[in-house]
Amino acid sequence: MRKGFYTILVIPQKKSSIRKISVSGNFLKFISLMLVLGILSIGYFSYDYLKIRDKVDELAELKELSSSQKKHIDMLGGKVAEFGKKMTELKQFDKKIRIITNLEDEIDDSNLLGMGGPIPDEKIAERKLADADKIIIGRTHEGIDQLFQEAERQERSFLDLLEFLRNQKSLLAKTPSIWPVRGWVTSQFGHRISPFTGRSELHKGIDIATRMKSEIVAPANGLVISCREVAGMGKEVTIDHGNGIVTVYGHLYKFNVKKGQKVHRGDLIGYVGNSGRSTGPHLHYGVMVKGVYVNPRRHLF
């Protein structure tokens, strides 16, 4: 055998002659090297393929997650926009109440919320998904911050309205507005001919005729400042309601309150009588505003 050459015997299964193949050592080394390189290449590409497949699967999961997150972001953006509309409606309602109550409108209409929903699909298609998501998230955060600020302003405004309405309620409770007794008005407020002297006189209230011992109630909250016998008026009760308003009740049969007592609208203060200078059972009801007698009918409903 030549030096540097190798003989390969090929023995077939059938009966035939054995074949001999002579190859050089360099050729065998080359073939061996190519086999090793082939095996390594197959291993490398197989490993790389598996990594790529894992990344593809991971990318698919990320896309699905991103799509789900985008839906939630869009939903949140829509809710923020809807909340913004509600806040705008509350502002309008607040403004109407202030107009009705003649309160100064402290809310600047130029600051009315301008909210937007999610970016339309056609615009998203024109941008990269990441940039579109950043815009949506940024807009949502901005809208939420505005809503918090607006909610604080609206809360302050409603607190002002609540305080005003409480004061109005307190003022209304102290304003005589109901009839102290039910009956028939037999003498109006103003100048009249006296049934006793036949001369003209100023009648400082109204006379309400009704049954003897009928209940007399306070027409508003107040403080009883006198329960006394007065010439001509007989048994008389006087109540101070605050804000310069005082009511007077004359010709009573009996007191049911005493001086210094606080009363509320509808409380029993006495009974209809015929005391003093009177032609029959009735209640003389007078109203003074800042020391001046006015027509009680202005305060009756």
Side-chain angles (χ1 to χ4, degrees), residues 88-117:
T88 303
E89 292 174 2
L90 283 176
K91 270 193 170 184
Q92 296 301 326
F93 179 66
D94 181 283
K95 187 174 182 179
K96 288 180 182 178
I97 294 178
R98 287 180 175 274
I99 291 173
I100 293 172
T101 56
N102 201 28
L103 281 177
E104 182 181 355
D105 189 0
E106 298 177 353
I107 299 178
D108 185 5
D109 288 342
S110 63
N111 291 329
L112 287 176
L113 286 173
M115 292 295 174

mmCIF file of all heavy atoms in Angstrom, residues 88-117:
data_model
loop_
_atom_site.group_PDB
_atom_site.id
_atom_site.type_symbol
_atom_site.label_atom_id
_atom_site.label_comp_id
_atom_site.label_asym_id
_atom_site.label_seq_id
_atom_site.Cartn_x
_atom_site.Cartn_y
_atom_site.Cartn_z
ATOM 1 N N THR A 88 -69.149 67.846 33.804
ATOM 2 C CA THR A 88 -69.643 69.018 33.087
ATOM 3 C C THR A 88 -71.125 69.231 33.371
ATOM 4 O O THR A 88 -71.579 70.363 33.568
ATOM 5 C CB THR A 88 -69.416 68.847 31.568
ATOM 6 O OG1 THR A 88 -68.020 68.633 31.321
ATOM 7 C CG2 THR A 88 -69.866 70.082 30.810
ATOM 8 N N GLU A 89 -71.894 68.133 33.413
ATOM 9 C CA GLU A 89 -73.316 68.239 33.739
ATOM 10 C C GLU A 89 -73.508 68.768 35.160
ATOM 11 O O GLU A 89 -74.403 69.581 35.418
ATOM 12 C CB GLU A 89 -73.985 66.875 33.579
ATOM 13 C CG GLU A 89 -74.062 66.398 32.138
ATOM 14 C CD GLU A 89 -74.609 64.982 32.020
ATOM 15 O OE1 GLU A 89 -74.967 64.405 33.073
ATOM 16 O OE2 GLU A 89 -74.688 64.459 30.896
ATOM 17 N N LEU A 90 -72.663 68.295 36.095
ATOM 18 C CA LEU A 90 -72.740 68.787 37.473
ATOM 19 C C LEU A 90 -72.439 70.281 37.530
ATOM 20 O O LEU A 90 -73.043 71.017 38.305
ATOM 21 C CB LEU A 90 -71.769 68.017 38.368
ATOM 22 C CG LEU A 90 -72.195 66.608 38.785
ATOM 23 C CD1 LEU A 90 -71.087 65.936 39.581
ATOM 24 C CD2 LEU A 90 -73.478 66.652 39.609
ATOM 25 N N LYS A 91 -71.484 70.721 36.709
ATOM 26 C CA LYS A 91 -71.163 72.144 36.666
ATOM 27 C C LYS A 91 -72.366 72.953 36.205
ATOM 28 O O LYS A 91 -72.661 74.016 36.759
ATOM 29 C CB LYS A 91 -69.981 72.374 35.720
ATOM 30 C CG LYS A 91 -68.627 72.301 36.385
ATOM 31 C CD LYS A 91 -67.569 72.855 35.438
ATOM 32 C CE LYS A 91 -66.260 73.026 36.165
ATOM 33 N NZ LYS A 91 -65.240 73.649 35.305
ATOM 34 N N GLN A 92 -73.022 72.461 35.163
ATOM 35 C CA GLN A 92 -74.199 73.157 34.656
ATOM 36 C C GLN A 92 -75.306 73.182 35.706
ATOM 37 O O GLN A 92 -75.996 74.193 35.872
ATOM 38 C CB GLN A 92 -74.692 72.475 33.372
ATOM 39 C CG GLN A 92 -73.699 72.537 32.220
ATOM 40 C CD GLN A 92 -73.331 73.957 31.822
ATOM 41 O OE1 GLN A 92 -74.154 74.864 31.890
ATOM 42 N NE2 GLN A 92 -72.089 74.162 31.427
ATOM 43 N N PHE A 93 -75.470 72.059 36.413
ATOM 44 C CA PHE A 93 -76.467 71.992 37.482
ATOM 45 C C PHE A 93 -76.119 72.973 38.597
ATOM 46 O O PHE A 93 -76.986 73.678 39.127
ATOM 47 C CB PHE A 93 -76.523 70.570 38.034
ATOM 48 C CG PHE A 93 -77.505 70.381 39.155
ATOM 49 C CD1 PHE A 93 -78.863 70.518 38.935
ATOM 50 C CD2 PHE A 93 -77.069 70.070 40.439
ATOM 51 C CE1 PHE A 93 -79.775 70.355 39.967
ATOM 52 C CE2 PHE A 93 -77.968 69.908 41.471
ATOM 53 C CZ PHE A 93 -79.323 70.051 41.227
ATOM 54 N N ASP A 94 -74.833 73.031 38.949
ATOM 55 C CA ASP A 94 -74.345 73.965 39.961
ATOM 56 C C ASP A 94 -74.652 75.400 39.543
ATOM 57 O O ASP A 94 -75.112 76.219 40.348
ATOM 58 C CB ASP A 94 -72.837 73.757 40.151
ATOM 59 C CG ASP A 94 -72.244 74.683 41.205
ATOM 60 O OD1 ASP A 94 -72.050 75.865 40.886
ATOM 61 O OD2 ASP A 94 -71.966 74.216 42.330
ATOM 62 N N LYS A 95 -74.420 75.687 38.262
ATOM 63 C CA LYS A 95 -74.657 77.039 37.756
ATOM 64 C C LYS A 95 -76.141 77.405 37.825
ATOM 65 O O LYS A 95 -76.507 78.525 38.198
ATOM 66 C CB LYS A 95 -74.158 77.131 36.313
ATOM 67 C CG LYS A 95 -74.203 78.532 35.735
ATOM 68 C CD LYS A 95 -73.550 78.559 34.364
ATOM 69 C CE LYS A 95 -73.547 79.979 33.799
ATOM 70 N NZ LYS A 95 -72.886 80.036 32.469
ATOM 71 N N LYS A 96 -77.021 76.439 37.479
ATOM 72 C CA LYS A 96 -78.455 76.693 37.532
ATOM 73 C C LYS A 96 -78.903 77.002 38.957
ATOM 74 O O LYS A 96 -79.696 77.916 39.188
ATOM 75 C CB LYS A 96 -79.215 75.477 36.991
ATOM 76 C CG LYS A 96 -79.094 75.298 35.490
ATOM 77 C CD LYS A 96 -79.859 74.076 35.021
ATOM 78 C CE LYS A 96 -79.706 73.869 33.527
ATOM 79 N NZ LYS A 96 -80.406 72.644 33.056
ATOM 80 N N ILE A 97 -78.375 76.209 39.923
ATOM 81 C CA ILE A 97 -78.739 76.444 41.329
ATOM 82 C C ILE A 97 -78.297 77.833 41.758
ATOM 83 O O ILE A 97 -79.024 78.547 42.457
ATOM 84 C CB ILE A 97 -78.118 75.369 42.234
ATOM 85 C CG1 ILE A 97 -78.728 73.998 41.935
ATOM 86 C CG2 ILE A 97 -78.333 75.714 43.710
ATOM 87 C CD1 ILE A 97 -78.133 72.874 42.749
ATOM 88 N N ARG A 98 -77.087 78.221 41.344
ATOM 89 C CA ARG A 98 -76.579 79.542 41.726
ATOM 90 C C ARG A 98 -77.411 80.664 41.098
ATOM 91 O O ARG A 98 -77.602 81.713 41.709
ATOM 92 C CB ARG A 98 -75.111 79.674 41.313
ATOM 93 C CG ARG A 98 -74.180 78.848 42.189
ATOM 94 C CD ARG A 98 -72.723 78.974 41.782
ATOM 95 N NE ARG A 98 -71.877 78.254 42.720
ATOM 96 C CZ ARG A 98 -71.415 78.761 43.852
ATOM 97 N NH1 ARG A 98 -71.707 80.003 44.181
ATOM 98 N NH2 ARG A 98 -70.665 78.044 44.660
ATOM 99 N N ILE A 99 -77.894 80.429 39.885
ATOM 100 C CA ILE A 99 -78.752 81.434 39.255
ATOM 101 C C ILE A 99 -80.076 81.538 40.010
ATOM 102 O O ILE A 99 -80.571 82.631 40.301
ATOM 103 C CB ILE A 99 -78.998 81.078 37.780
ATOM 104 C CG1 ILE A 99 -77.695 81.231 36.977
ATOM 105 C CG2 ILE A 99 -80.082 81.966 37.181
ATOM 106 C CD1 ILE A 99 -77.804 80.751 35.546
ATOM 107 N N ILE A 100 -80.652 80.357 40.363
ATOM 108 C CA ILE A 100 -81.926 80.344 41.086
ATOM 109 C C ILE A 100 -81.801 81.002 42.452
ATOM 110 O O ILE A 100 -82.678 81.754 42.882
ATOM 111 C CB ILE A 100 -82.434 78.887 41.238
ATOM 112 C CG1 ILE A 100 -82.807 78.316 39.870
ATOM 113 C CG2 ILE A 100 -83.623 78.817 42.187
ATOM 114 C CD1 ILE A 100 -83.126 76.835 39.896
ATOM 115 N N THR A 101 -80.683 80.730 43.137
ATOM 116 C CA THR A 101 -80.485 81.263 44.487
ATOM 117 C C THR A 101 -79.818 82.633 44.486
ATOM 118 O O THR A 101 -79.524 83.175 45.542
ATOM 119 C CB THR A 101 -79.633 80.298 45.327
ATOM 120 O OG1 THR A 101 -78.386 80.035 44.650
ATOM 121 C CG2 THR A 101 -80.371 78.984 45.534
ATOM 122 N N ASN A 102 -79.560 83.156 43.266
ATOM 123 C CA ASN A 102 -78.955 84.482 43.130
ATOM 124 C C ASN A 102 -77.574 84.550 43.774
ATOM 125 O O ASN A 102 -77.174 85.581 44.318
ATOM 126 C CB ASN A 102 -79.864 85.566 43.744
ATOM 127 C CG ASN A 102 -79.542 86.944 43.203
ATOM 128 O OD1 ASN A 102 -79.070 87.085 42.072
ATOM 129 N ND2 ASN A 102 -79.768 87.965 44.008
ATOM 130 N N LEU A 103 -76.848 83.440 43.705
ATOM 131 C CA LEU A 103 -75.481 83.412 44.211
ATOM 132 C C LEU A 103 -74.514 83.709 43.077
ATOM 133 O O LEU A 103 -74.766 83.384 41.932
ATOM 134 C CB LEU A 103 -75.147 82.030 44.798
ATOM 135 C CG LEU A 103 -75.664 81.735 46.198
ATOM 136 C CD1 LEU A 103 -75.313 80.299 46.575
ATOM 137 C CD2 LEU A 103 -75.064 82.674 47.224
ATOM 138 N N GLU A 104 -73.384 84.309 43.440
ATOM 139 C CA GLU A 104 -72.370 84.610 42.433
ATOM 140 C C GLU A 104 -71.789 83.316 41.889
ATOM 141 O O GLU A 104 -71.470 82.399 42.646
ATOM 142 C CB GLU A 104 -71.257 85.456 43.054
ATOM 143 C CG GLU A 104 -70.185 85.862 42.064
ATOM 144 C CD GLU A 104 -69.089 86.687 42.719
ATOM 145 O OE1 GLU A 104 -69.236 87.012 43.917
ATOM 146 O OE2 GLU A 104 -68.100 86.991 42.041
ATOM 147 N N ASP A 105 -71.649 83.261 40.573
ATOM 148 C CA ASP A 105 -71.073 82.074 39.935
ATOM 149 C C ASP A 105 -69.565 82.175 39.996
ATOM 150 O O ASP A 105 -68.946 82.971 39.302
ATOM 151 C CB ASP A 105 -71.538 81.984 38.479
ATOM 152 C CG ASP A 105 -71.157 80.659 37.842
ATOM 153 O OD1 ASP A 105 -70.533 79.840 38.536
ATOM 154 O OD2 ASP A 105 -71.485 80.460 36.661
ATOM 155 N N GLU A 106 -68.960 81.337 40.860
ATOM 156 C CA GLU A 106 -67.521 81.403 41.055
ATOM 157 C C GLU A 106 -66.765 80.484 40.124
ATOM 158 O O GLU A 106 -65.536 80.451 40.113
ATOM 159 C CB GLU A 106 -67.178 81.019 42.506
ATOM 160 C CG GLU A 106 -67.790 81.970 43.523
ATOM 161 C CD GLU A 106 -67.505 81.536 44.934
ATOM 162 O OE1 GLU A 106 -66.952 80.432 45.099
ATOM 163 O OE2 GLU A 106 -67.808 82.305 45.858
ATOM 164 N N ILE A 107 -67.473 79.691 39.319
ATOM 165 C CA ILE A 107 -66.824 78.708 38.451
ATOM 166 C C ILE A 107 -66.612 79.308 37.070
ATOM 167 O O ILE A 107 -67.529 79.862 36.465
ATOM 168 C CB ILE A 107 -67.666 77.429 38.345
ATOM 169 C CG1 ILE A 107 -67.815 76.800 39.737
ATOM 170 C CG2 ILE A 107 -67.035 76.435 37.390
ATOM 171 C CD1 ILE A 107 -68.668 75.568 39.732
ATOM 172 N N ASP A 108 -65.389 79.213 36.588
ATOM 173 C CA ASP A 108 -65.040 79.734 35.283
ATOM 174 C C ASP A 108 -65.408 78.727 34.207
ATOM 175 O O ASP A 108 -64.887 77.616 34.176
ATOM 176 C CB ASP A 108 -63.537 80.024 35.232
ATOM 177 C CG ASP A 108 -63.130 80.697 33.926
ATOM 178 O OD1 ASP A 108 -64.033 81.004 33.121
ATOM 179 O OD2 ASP A 108 -61.914 80.917 33.736
ATOM 180 N N ASP A 109 -66.319 79.136 33.302
ATOM 181 C CA ASP A 109 -66.759 78.212 32.253
ATOM 182 C C ASP A 109 -65.632 77.826 31.310
ATOM 183 O O ASP A 109 -65.701 76.810 30.632
ATOM 184 C CB ASP A 109 -67.904 78.833 31.438
ATOM 185 C CG ASP A 109 -69.186 78.877 32.244
ATOM 186 O OD1 ASP A 109 -69.273 78.141 33.247
ATOM 187 O OD2 ASP A 109 -70.097 79.640 31.885
ATOM 188 N N SER A 110 -64.596 78.680 31.247
ATOM 189 C CA SER A 110 -63.500 78.369 30.342
ATOM 190 C C SER A 110 -62.718 77.160 30.786
ATOM 191 O O SER A 110 -61.940 76.592 30.024
ATOM 192 C CB SER A 110 -62.551 79.580 30.251
ATOM 193 O OG SER A 110 -61.972 79.855 31.521
ATOM 194 N N ASN A 111 -62.910 76.759 32.040
ATOM 195 C CA ASN A 111 -62.196 75.600 32.566
ATOM 196 C C ASN A 111 -62.997 74.312 32.449
ATOM 197 O O ASN A 111 -62.641 73.311 33.051
ATOM 198 C CB ASN A 111 -61.838 75.822 34.045
ATOM 199 C CG ASN A 111 -60.781 76.893 34.193
ATOM 200 O OD1 ASN A 111 -59.940 77.068 33.325
ATOM 201 N ND2 ASN A 111 -60.838 77.628 35.299
ATOM 202 N N LEU A 112 -64.115 74.379 31.704
ATOM 203 C CA LEU A 112 -64.903 73.167 31.554
ATOM 204 C C LEU A 112 -64.054 72.080 30.922
ATOM 205 O O LEU A 112 -63.293 72.324 29.987
ATOM 206 C CB LEU A 112 -66.130 73.441 30.670
ATOM 207 C CG LEU A 112 -67.235 74.272 31.332
ATOM 208 C CD1 LEU A 112 -68.335 74.551 30.333
ATOM 209 C CD2 LEU A 112 -67.789 73.578 32.556
ATOM 210 N N LEU A 113 -64.207 70.904 31.439
ATOM 211 C CA LEU A 113 -63.372 69.790 30.998
ATOM 212 C C LEU A 113 -63.616 69.461 29.533
ATOM 213 O O LEU A 113 -64.753 69.365 29.091
ATOM 214 C CB LEU A 113 -63.682 68.542 31.848
ATOM 215 C CG LEU A 113 -63.139 68.571 33.257
ATOM 216 C CD1 LEU A 113 -63.665 67.360 34.008
ATOM 217 C CD2 LEU A 113 -61.628 68.549 33.252
ATOM 218 N N GLY A 114 -62.528 69.251 28.813
ATOM 219 C CA GLY A 114 -62.606 68.768 27.443
ATOM 220 C C GLY A 114 -61.933 67.415 27.386
ATOM 221 O O GLY A 114 -60.722 67.332 27.304
ATOM 222 N N MET A 115 -62.722 66.376 27.484
ATOM 223 C CA MET A 115 -62.168 65.024 27.551
ATOM 224 C C MET A 115 -62.284 64.346 26.188
ATOM 225 O O MET A 115 -63.205 64.605 25.422
ATOM 226 C CB MET A 115 -62.919 64.191 28.598
ATOM 227 C CG MET A 115 -62.671 64.664 30.002
ATOM 228 S SD MET A 115 -60.958 64.434 30.451
ATOM 229 C CE MET A 115 -60.950 65.236 32.038
ATOM 230 N N GLY A 116 -61.341 63.449 25.917
ATOM 231 C CA GLY A 116 -61.374 62.662 24.691
ATOM 232 C C GLY A 116 -61.309 61.195 25.024
ATOM 233 O O GLY A 116 -60.719 60.815 26.027
ATOM 234 N N GLY A 117 -61.886 60.393 24.157
ATOM 235 C CA GLY A 117 -61.848 58.951 24.370
ATOM 236 C C GLY A 117 -60.608 58.362 23.741
ATOM 237 O O GLY A 117 -59.623 59.052 23.491
#
